[in-house]
């Protein structure tokens, strides 16, 4: 008897949903099984406190691939992205640096801090744009294995080689620097203004237990630079209704193509028979058969948890054990009775509607990392914030606000472990830090939600609370993600595939892993 489904997708994170949508669009009978009561994984919106809605985990959209928005017609399913026009970096002396999307406004503001940087910025922007364009084609491909002699890999490598040669010497050399340098060293080559360097280098450390001076972080800077909204690189936006509406739009598209989505359906085991994946067993014992199984869960959960070591080659198990998670980020979500009044912006203003970053200097960030390196959360952390209710008033009751604060560093392996008291102490460190720049903050707080890497692991099933299903570090990118020889969405088990952020091109609300995996399954040569 043939199984009822062509494919089961384990996990309704946005990548699982993207994969399901593409498979269903191709006429496959698809079932998505999500452990939680809602789809979205790390891209969810929840009414955490009555009347206050939050993008509980991920909070800004930038990396979502334009081809996915187009091909799945996501606006028709409710996706509406509101642009974030600026990044404000408040400073301890009451001044600030604001980076604006508007070219002239940005230049004027930079020149106020450093004429030299204002001039260098033009060329920097051009260079990063070229670098992002150089790397962009890699996002949509299943990475070829350089150690393979398979004609398909050799052809792809030759194509990649030709692409790299086409960049010309100068850009290729620049790319090599970006692949190997630290974000701070790379930016030192361009700029002198500390808040500018710090705020930019912060993109290189997100989701990774590394400091801005750690080698390899410049590449992550580039990863984040590849965000593209309406064809503009490095543009960030906020999804109306929060990041959950991105997942809901993708789920809507998947359903419109006929995919079935079940929530509160945790998978306990992948059925492996004769070396093939033949279905899954839910935690309640229900067995569901399918021609293929696709896992959106991270590589550790997938292979060491649901598949089981006994079905896998020992060398592969060792590689998955070595794959690094080391969660280093937390989140604080605030319900506010009034807007925070920043000392640098006593009258408020347009800059509050963009991102706000506590990153006054590279040294500040590196010191924040130092504490995490030795197992403590940062007493003065890096904070990246948005106030979504300013862009989308439906997120909070009239006159009130929500604030989303992404925090680094909060090491998963905290000395003594995470307890309720340590969680609150971490929340206090965040609020104390921010209150130094916005003195009314403490009295404005109505409720707060503090999320540690341990909470991220428990709630979302992300191992060690790593926000990207594994660190975005060079040794686990491209054909090494999650392990050599299984980086093409396939696995050592026939008919078992992976489609989550633990595969190339990695984390972020990007959808690329889900789309690439679907193409690999459909034999479209992704
Ligand atoms: C705090 C935080 C902040 C972030 N901020 C941003 C941001 O602002 N912008 C950005 O682009 N990215 C951000 N990210 C990263 C981004 O959200 C993730 O990389 C991305 O959402 C991963 O999507 P995914 O579908 O691959 O995996 P996930 O979102 O991890 O989804 C996996 C799904 O599988 C389910 N699952 C796991 N095990 C099982 C099982 N046994 N049975 C059934 N279901 C299972 C999980 O419940 C989950 O729904 C952030 C992440 C976090 C945690």
């Amino acid at each position: 008897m043939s199984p009822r489904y062509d494919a089961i997708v384990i996990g309704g994170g946005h990548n699982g949903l993207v994969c399901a949508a593409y498979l269903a669009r191709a006429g496959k009978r698809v079932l998505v099984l999500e452990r939680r009561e809602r789809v979205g994984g790390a891209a969810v919106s929840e009414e955490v406190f009555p009347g206050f809605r939050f993008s509980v985990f991920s909070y800004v959209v930038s990396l979502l691939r334009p081809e996915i928005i187009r091909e799945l017609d996501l606006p028709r399913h409710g996706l509406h992205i509101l642009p974030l026009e600026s990044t404000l970096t408040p400073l301890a002396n009451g001044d600030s640096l604001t980076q604006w999307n508007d070219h002239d406004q940005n230049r004027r503001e930079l020149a106020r801090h450093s004429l030299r940087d204002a001039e260098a910025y033009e060329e920097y922007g051009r260079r990063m744009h070229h670098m992002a364009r150089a790397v962009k084609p890699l996002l949509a491909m299943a990475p070829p294995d350089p150690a393979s002699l398979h004609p398909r890999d050799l052809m792809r490598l030759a194509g990649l080689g030709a692409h790299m040669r086409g960049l010309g010497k100068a850009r290729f050399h620049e790319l090599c620097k970006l692949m190997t340098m630290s974000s701070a060293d790379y930016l030192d080559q361009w700029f002198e203004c500390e808040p500018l360097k710090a705020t930019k280098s912060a993109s290189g450390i997100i989701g990774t237990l590394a400091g801005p001076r750690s080698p390899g972080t410049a590449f992550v800077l580039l990863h984040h630079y590849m965000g593209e909204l309406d064809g503009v690189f490095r543009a960030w936006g906020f999804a109306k209704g929060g990041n959950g509406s991105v997942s809901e739009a993708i789920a809507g598209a998947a359903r419109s193509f006929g995919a079935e989505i079940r929530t509160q359906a945790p998978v306990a085991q992948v059925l492996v028979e004769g070396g093939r994946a033949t279905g899954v067993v839910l935690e309640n014992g229900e067995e569901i058969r399918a021609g293929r199984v696709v896992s959106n869960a991270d590589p550790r959960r997938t292979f060491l948890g649901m598949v089981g070591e006994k079905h896998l080659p020992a060398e592969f198990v060792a590689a998955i054990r070595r794959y690094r998670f080391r969660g280093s980020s937390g989140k604080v979500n605030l319900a506010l009775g009034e807007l925070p009044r920043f000392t640098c912006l006593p009258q408020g203003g347009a800059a509050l509607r963009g991102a706000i970053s506590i990153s006054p200097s590279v040294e500040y960030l590196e010191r924040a990392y130092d504490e995490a390196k030795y197992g403590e959360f940062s007493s003065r952390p890096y904070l990246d914030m948005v106030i979504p209710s300013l862009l989308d008033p439906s997120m909070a009751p009239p006159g009130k606000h929500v604030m989303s604060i992404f925090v680094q560093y909060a090491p998963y392996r905290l000395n003594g472990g995470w307890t309720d008291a340590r969680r609150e102490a971490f929340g206090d460190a965040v609020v104390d830090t921010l209150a130094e720049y916005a003195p009314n903050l403490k009295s404005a707080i109505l409720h707060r939600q503090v999320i540690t890497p341990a909470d991220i692991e428990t709630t979302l099933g992300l191992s060690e609370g790593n926000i990207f299903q594994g660190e975005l570090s060079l040794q686990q990118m491209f054909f090494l993600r999650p392990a050599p020889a299984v980086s093409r969405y396939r696995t050592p088990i026939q008919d078992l595939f992976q489609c989550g952020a633990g595969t190339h091109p990695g984390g972020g609300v990007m959808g690329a892993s889900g789309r690439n995996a679907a193409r690999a399954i459909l034999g479209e040569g992704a």
Side-chain angles (χ1 to χ4, degrees):
M1 196 177 75
S2 69
R4 192 160 142 220
Y5 298 101
D6 295 313
I8 287 175
V9 178
I10 305 173
H14 85 288
N15 271 315
L17 296 168
V18 166
C19 185
Y22 277 97
L23 292 177
R25 193 176 78 141
K28 304 289 177 204
R29 292 160 306 162
V30 184
L31 173 66
V32 178
L33 296 168
E34 167 54 43
R35 182 178 141 264
R36 295 191 73 208
E37 69 291 353
R38 67 188 76 231
V39 293
V44 284
S45 307
E46 293 177 33
E47 186 171 326
V48 180
F49 308 108
F52 294 89
R53 285 181 68 71
F54 291 89
S55 289
V56 178
F57 303 99
S58 66
Y59 55 107
V60 284
V61 187
S62 153
L63 299 163
L64 187 60
R65 303 305 309 146
E67 59 272 21
I68 295 177
I69 298 179
R70 212 174 40 243
E71 289 162 358
L72 299 183
D73 200 2
L74 296 184
R76 191 166 71 82
H77 296 283
L79 181 71
H80 183 170
I81 296 178
L82 306 158
L84 290 168
E85 305 282 2
S86 59
T87 303
L88 166 74
T89 307
L91 302 176
N93 64 3
D95 197 357
S96 62
L97 170 76
T98 309
Q99 298 171 62
W100 296 95
N101 288 357
D102 179 82
H103 176 270
D104 293 341
Q105 203 175 4
N106 192 50
R107 193 184 154 78
R108 272 197 306 278
E109 170 71 348
L110 265 181
R112 203 167 68 72
H113 290 267
S114 159
L115 205 51
R116 201 190 105 181
D117 286 4
E119 269 153 30
Y121 200 89
E122 308 260 326
E123 180 52 24
Y124 172 82
R126 258 195 300 277
R127 196 75 66 85
M128 289 303 276
H129 181 87
H130 288 310
M131 291 300 103
R133 280 179 68 110
V135 182
K136 187 178 153 182
L138 307 185
L139 297 181
M141 75 164 35
D145 177 2
S148 158
L149 293 177
H150 192 289
R152 180 198 56 209
D153 282 315
L154 293 175
M155 290 251 304
R156 292 235 167 86
L157 279 171
L160 207 55
H163 174 70
M164 290 300 163
R165 246 197 330 276
L167 297 179
K169 261 192 203 163
R171 285 182 196 165
F172 181 71
H173 293 159
E174 195 71 19
L175 189 60
C176 292
K177 285 189 192 173
L178 268 167
M179 303 277 280
T180 49
M181 289 176 84
S182 76
S183 54
D185 285 346
Y186 184 76
L187 290 160
D188 273 343
Q189 300 183 132
W190 289 92
F191 304 118
E192 60 185 8
C193 169
E194 275 300 317
L196 176 66
K197 285 193 286 188
T199 306
K200 288 212 168 297
S201 68
S203 324
I205 56 172
I206 286 174
T208 302
L209 192 59
R213 298 218 173 275
S214 308
T217 46
F219 180 71
V220 186
L221 189 88
L222 179 61
H223 180 87
H224 289 280
Y225 212 93
M226 285 181 300
E228 191 182 351
L229 290 179
D230 295 330
V232 181
F233 284 116
R234 189 67 184 100
W236 289 90
F238 172 78
K240 195 167 181 326
N243 257 2
S245 57
V246 177
S247 305
E248 288 299 339
I250 303 169
R255 285 195 192 96
S256 76
F257 297 125
E260 228 178 280
I261 300 174
R262 275 174 67 181
T263 53
Q264 293 180 302
V267 172
Q269 193 197 332
V270 173
L271 284 170
V272 181
E273 292 161 330
R276 308 175 75 105
T278 54
V280 301
V281 184
L282 300 190
E283 276 179 14
N284 66 7
E286 183 183 346
E287 213 178 276
I288 311 174
R289 301 262 162 184
R292 287 183 174 136
V293 177
V294 191
S295 178
N296 177 206
D298 73 37
R300 185 186 288 175
R301 257 174 212 278
T302 300
F303 296 112
L304 306 185
M306 289 181 277
V307 173
E309 293 180 24
K310 66 173 191 248
H311 296 294
L312 297 163
E315 205 181 311
F316 176 73
V317 169
I320 296 298
R321 283 191 191 288
R322 276 196 301 270
Y323 180 77
R324 283 206 317 209
F325 289 93
R326 305 194 309 172
S328 55
S329 322
K331 188 89 191 287
V332 174
N333 294 317
L334 299 179
L336 299 173
E338 61 173 352
L339 281 173
R341 280 192 298 278
F342 284 86
T343 312
C344 64
L345 276 185
Q347 312 301 329
L352 283 187
R353 296 167 58 88
I356 305 167
S357 176
I358 302 299
S359 47
S361 67
V362 170
E363 184 183 323
Y364 176 96
L365 299 180
E366 192 67 27
R367 284 187 188 282
Y369 169 54
D370 282 346
E371 290 174 285
K373 202 161 63 182
Y374 298 109
E376 297 297 332
F377 57 76
S378 313
S379 48
R380 290 278 177 286
Y382 160 65
L383 308 178
D384 186 54
M385 297 162 279
V386 284
I387 308 176
S389 45
L390 279 177
L391 296 160
D392 176 359
S394 73
M395 302 296 285
K400 303 205 165 48
H401 290 280
V402 286
M403 188 173 203
S404 209
I405 310 177
F406 178 84
V407 191
Q408 200 137 331
Y409 299 84
Y412 175 76
R413 292 192 199 292
L414 188 74
N415 294 334
W418 283 101
T419 58
D420 289 349
R422 299 304 299 280
R423 183 194 295 111
E424 290 315 307
F426 168 61
D428 289 344
V430 171
V431 169
D432 288 346
T433 300
L434 188 53
E436 287 174 15
Y437 300 87
N440 72 325
L441 181 77
K442 288 186 187 176
S443 60
I445 296 174
L446 302 174
H447 311 280
R448 83 174 185 190
Q449 180 190 35
V450 183
I451 300 171
T452 69
D455 299 325
I456 293 175
E457 181 177 62
T458 315
T459 314
L460 298 178
L462 287 168
S463 297
E464 297 183 25
N466 185 284
I467 67 167
F468 293 143
Q469 293 200 351
E471 283 190 323
L472 289 188
S473 45
L474 266 183
Q475 76 271 27
Q476 38 193 51
M477 294 296 283
F478 202 49
F479 66 91
L480 299 172
R481 192 170 186 86
V486 294
S487 55
R488 303 170 50 77
Y489 313 101
R490 292 179 171 78
T491 72
I493 311 276
Q494 211 181 327
D495 293 331
L496 175 66
F497 293 80
Q498 315 166 78
C499 71
T503 61
H504 169 78
V509 182
M510 193 189 295
S513 294
R515 180 176 181 270
N516 291 355
R519 295 189 64 197
I521 294 164
L522 295 169
E524 289 174 4

